[in-house]
Amino acid sequence: MHEPKLPPNLLFGTATAAYQVEGAADEGGRGPSIWDTYCRTPGRVARGESGDVACDHYHRYREDVALLADLGVDLYRFSVSWPRVQPDGKGRPNAEGLAFYDRLVDAVLEAGIEPALTLYHWDLPQTLEDEGGWRVRDTARRFGEYTRIVAERLGDRVNRWITLNEPFCSAFVGHAVGRHAPGTREGTPALAAAHHLLLAHGTAVGELRAAGAGEVGITLNPDHLLPATGSEADRAAVERARTLHNRTWFDPLFTGAYPDNEKETWGELADGSYRREGDLEVIGRPLDFLGVNFYRPIMLRDAPHTQPDPALRTAADIGTEQVAFDGVRHTTMGWPVVPESFEELLVDLDRRYPGLPPILITENGSAEADEPDGDGRVHDGDRVAYLRAHLAALGRAIEAGVDVRGYFVWSLLDNFEWAYGYERRFGLVRVDYDSLERHPKDSYHWYRDYLASHRARRNQGE
Ligand code: IFM
């Protein structure tokens, strides 16, 4: 089989996130996060599941690092749990929490792997949510304090820092769609949440720079948005969606301005009451890299608003409707597999935002049905095909001039897939949730071979 050849200096890794893998929810002095609350609310998460135990990575991290070492990755992306470090989201750090990340970082480094640390992958301390959460400006300040604590403790060993993971999900899936914690359906407060997340990011960048951090970036999940038809109405719908999904983040981060079509997108909900003079300067602090997560494209058409009264709409109710992709395979997330759209998205972003920093693909992968055979092996050929096709698309984007420096598979392990619970499996390694045993899948072996030949080309200076 022909494998995509990517530039030898491209770095490879895998990614996880604290709440999805750690478990040990009530151990080590960890406080509750909005996801603990959300999971305990009946009807929110499939089968009433939660991250209480997850993959028990908190206790089994050495085994997981050994899997990473055997895989041969350059980088390991993980997140720090804010409520493990500051159980109430403020005040003195929890020594046991910091000690866990000390051990994890040391184990990763001892394995010859570079850690890439995400400071926020959705687990806001519940105490801060009780005080308004991301809807209030003070949470951005608190995030700065938390960042300083983590940077002071780990900055001597961690070079690569990601402030936020997918703030689109935190702001809009959390506060407008309601399918993520905190699970509300709001209008202007959701837009305020988006702004305060950006402010938190910029504040954290300031703290990281002050602490002498090496490489600092943010991970976004820009969507590749396609109109269902060439009609003017469908194209306008895509432009509104582009603002909701992409421009809200990219414009202030990389052009120093808020999107110029907020009123067309949200009407009076976008009243800007949550913005202050000087915020754009904080938000737009220069970055060393941009993390991009990509899974699938979205096709849209113009549609009536769900709520006719504009004042009562949620920030996700922008008069669009998703349209299914015909004739392509769908993963168990129901997501269409269209690798070309990965290339198209990257080229499109590169053209729209000429000042973008170098890109790391901080997540890409697929959830598959993954039934083990009689010997417990998982022959996940669909996942291998997905990864191979997306790496080929990445190679074409790089050839077209997009500056991409790294690629991470989501995920090392099967894990807690948020509102879908444990049924949706993204791992290169199967986790048996009864025994918590790890079983590398065919895709793990494929990725290991792929990385070995990539490294051989790198060593030959090809
Ligand atoms: O599992 C998530 C991850 O936490 C954030 N990006 C998308 C993944 C798959 O849904």
Side-chain angles (χ1 to χ4, degrees), residues 40-104:
R40 276 162 188 54
T41 310
R44 293 300 208 169
V45 175
R47 298 165 296 281
E49 290 169 350
S50 76
D52 283 358
V53 177
C55 309
D56 195 30
H57 176 74
Y58 184 78
H59 297 112
R60 294 165 196 253
Y61 70 93
R62 286 195 183 281
E63 191 184 338
D64 296 334
V65 172
L67 285 164
L68 287 166
D70 180 54
L71 195 52
V73 287
D74 303 299
L75 297 157
Y76 173 50
R77 176 178 176 229
F78 65 96
S79 80
V80 169
S81 156
W82 187 350
R84 212 178 264 300
V85 170
Q86 282 184 303
D88 291 332
K90 54 182 96 155
R92 279 161 53 90
N94 166 36
E96 267 191 90
L98 283 174
F100 168 66
Y101 295 109
D102 252 346
R103 295 194 295 275
L104 176 62

Side-chain angles (χ1 to χ4, degrees), residues 286-351:
L287 298 178
D288 303 303
F289 65 88
L290 165 66
V292 169
N293 293 352
F294 179 83
Y295 292 89
R296 49 89 175 87
I298 294 180
M299 200 185 292
L300 291 170
R301 68 168 155 242
D302 181 55
H305 288 274
T306 314
Q307 164 59 254
D309 180 348
L312 299 178
R313 283 180 193 149
T314 75
D317 188 1
I318 57 167
T320 62
E321 187 177 73
Q322 284 205 29
V323 177
F325 278 79
D326 289 332
V328 301
R329 191 176 81 78
H330 287 69
T331 69
T332 58
M333 293 297 282
W335 293 345
V337 180
V338 190
E340 308 76 63
S341 63
F342 188 22
E343 171 190 356
E344 287 164 16
L345 170 76
L346 291 171
V347 171
D348 182 63
L349 289 174
D350 190 61
R351 304 295 179 262

Side-chain angles (χ1 to χ4, degrees), residues 16-17 20 77 121-122 165-166 169 180 221 293 295 333 335 363 365 410-411 415-418 420 426:
T16 61
Q20 294 181 271
R77 176 178 176 229
H121 199 123
W122 305 352
N165 179 72
E166 300 181 1
C169 293
H180 278 182
N221 55 332
N293 293 352
Y295 292 89
M333 293 297 282
W335 293 345
E363 289 180 26
W410 183 269
S411 179
N415 59 48
F416 177 71
E417 179 54 25
W418 308 110
Y420 297 101
F426 276 90

Side-chain angles (χ1 to χ4, degrees), residues 74-78 101 104-110 112-118 154 157-162 215 408:
D74 303 299
L75 297 157
Y76 173 50
R77 176 178 176 229
F78 65 96
Y101 295 109
L104 176 62
V105 166
D106 285 346
V108 168
L109 288 169
E110 274 161 29
I113 298 166
E114 189 199 321
L117 186 157
T118 305
L154 301 175
R157 284 154 290 155
V158 173
N159 182 55
R160 217 175 281 261
W161 297 79
I162 297 166
E215 305 259 317
F408 296 76

Side-chain angles (χ1 to χ4, degrees), residues 58 62 70 82 90 116 134 200 237 253-254 280 292 332 335 339 346 398 423 429-430 438-439 448 454 461:
Y58 184 78
R62 286 195 183 281
D70 180 54
W82 187 350
K90 54 182 96 155
W134 290 114
L253 284 166
F254 302 116
L280 278 173
V292 169
T332 58
W335 293 345
L346 291 171
I398 293 172
E423 195 188 47
V429 175
R430 181 178 174 84
R438 276 78 164 135
H439 299 284
R448 187 172 63 171
H454 180 80

